[in-house]
Amino acid sequence: GQQLNQSPQSMFIQEGEDVSMNCTSSSIFNTWLWYKQDPGEGPVLLIALYKAGELTSNGRLTAQFGITRKDSFLNISASIPSDVGIYFCAGQRRGGADGLTFGKGTHLIIQP
Amino acid sequence: GAVVSQHPSRVICKSGTSVKIECRSLDFQATTMFWYRQFPKQSLMLMATSNEGSKATYEQGVEKDKFLINHASLTLSTLTVTSAHPEDSSFYICSARDSEGVGETQYFGPGTRLLVL
């Protein structure tokens, strides 16, 4: 199946630093979503984006839906130890009746 | 937020046996549920879309006779891995779409880890 191009694959940062990751696709998605997955658990939704150009924040997290509808980015400001985990972007084509296409994930590691 | 449960959380079985995994939406109705598979250190891959009261829709490359899906009620979908083999060992995760919710959000279950010996 198709996967989205997500980068970087992993990040090693110092606590307090800002983090940025992005996803691109060769095709259009009508919804972009960002999830965080801890080991052995299911993904937890962080931010959902429904309109091209939309910029949405959730606490220290900010995500944007690209104008072309083929990309999205997620920023995390002032990282803290509990931000450690794997972050996935996901795209949805037509709406709620569609399953999600996931990126390969960004493994965030924070050094205290 | 909405809660989705899965049972069992982990299962070990012998090669050739069948294993049933349940996915339940606890506080909302879900006409549509989705089943994903995640191999170690990889991303989630959509296997099939489960629709209440109708046949599931399978993604290309997923054998419908091997992965039987039943969505008998608005809060329950089951995935049965038939004649399981070691290569079926994986993390199986379901998600459910709130039929009456705002937006297109899917809520994920905690996953079921299957190990086939």
Side-chain angles (χ1 to χ4, degrees):
Chain A
Q2 180 191 4
Q3 282 188 312
L4 303 175
N5 300 312
Q6 184 172 350
S7 64
Q9 185 175 358
S10 59
M11 298 183 73
F12 295 79
I13 64 168
Q14 298 284 339
E15 182 178 350
E17 288 185 8
D18 296 343
V19 172
S20 185
M21 59 191 78
N22 69 83
C23 264
T24 61
S25 170
S26 58
S27 55
I28 290 173
F29 287 95
N30 287 317
T31 302
W32 281 89
L33 305 152
W34 286 92
Y35 289 88
K36 180 173 183 274
Q37 186 180 29
D38 291 326
E41 299 182 11
V44 174
L45 180 66
L46 300 174
I47 292 180
L49 302 159
Y50 301 111
K51 294 181 180 179
E54 178 182 356
L55 183 70
T56 298
S57 294
N58 178 9
R60 293 179 295 106
L61 278 61
T62 301
Q64 184 158 31
F65 190 149
I67 289 292
T68 64
R69 291 193 284 162
K70 294 182 178 180
D71 63 299
S72 176
F73 72 74
L74 173 70
N75 288 339
I76 305 173
S77 62
S79 58
I80 60 178
S82 61
D83 290 335
V84 166
I86 302 178
Y87 292 79
F88 290 100
C89 63
Q92 192 172 42
R93 294 193 190 284
R94 296 173 297 174
D98 266 5
L100 302 179
T101 300
F102 279 84
K104 295 183 179 181
T106 295
H107 190 181
L108 181 60
I109 300 167
I110 298 176
Q111 301 166 335
Chain B
V3 178
V4 176
S5 70
Q6 282 184 239
H7 177 79
S9 58
R10 56 178 61 204
V11 57
I12 301 173
C13 69
K14 292 181 178 180
S15 184
T17 61
S18 294
V19 174
K20 179 184 285 188
I21 303 170
E22 295 185 348
C23 176
R24 293 181 185 273
S25 56
L26 298 185
D27 50 1
F28 65 97
Q29 293 185 331
T31 54
T32 306
M33 292 184 173
F34 304 89
W35 287 96
Y36 297 82
R37 181 167 52 184
Q38 184 178 33
F39 291 108
K41 299 188 185 299
Q42 294 188 23
S43 186
L44 287 78
M45 297 296 288
L46 179 66
M47 298 175 66
T49 301
S50 171
N51 299 299
E52 188 267 337
S54 64
K55 290 183 179 180
T57 304
Y58 290 81
E59 294 299 301
Q60 190 173 8
V62 178
E63 301 175 56
K64 63 179 182 180
D65 294 329
K66 180 168 183 63
F67 299 99
L68 301 179
I69 292 173
N70 187 324
H71 194 152
S73 78
L74 287 172
T75 59
L76 174 65
S77 175
T78 61
L79 169 69
T80 301
V81 183
T82 62
S83 186
H85 288 92
E87 58 265 31
D88 297 323
S89 299
S90 187
F91 194 46
Y92 291 87
I93 310 173
C94 71
S95 71
R97 173 181 171 237
D98 187 345
S99 305
E100 299 179 1
V102 177
E104 314 295 353
T105 306
Q106 294 181 20
Y107 299 96
F108 282 84
T112 296
R113 187 161 304 280
L114 170 64
L115 177 61
V116 184
L117 302 176

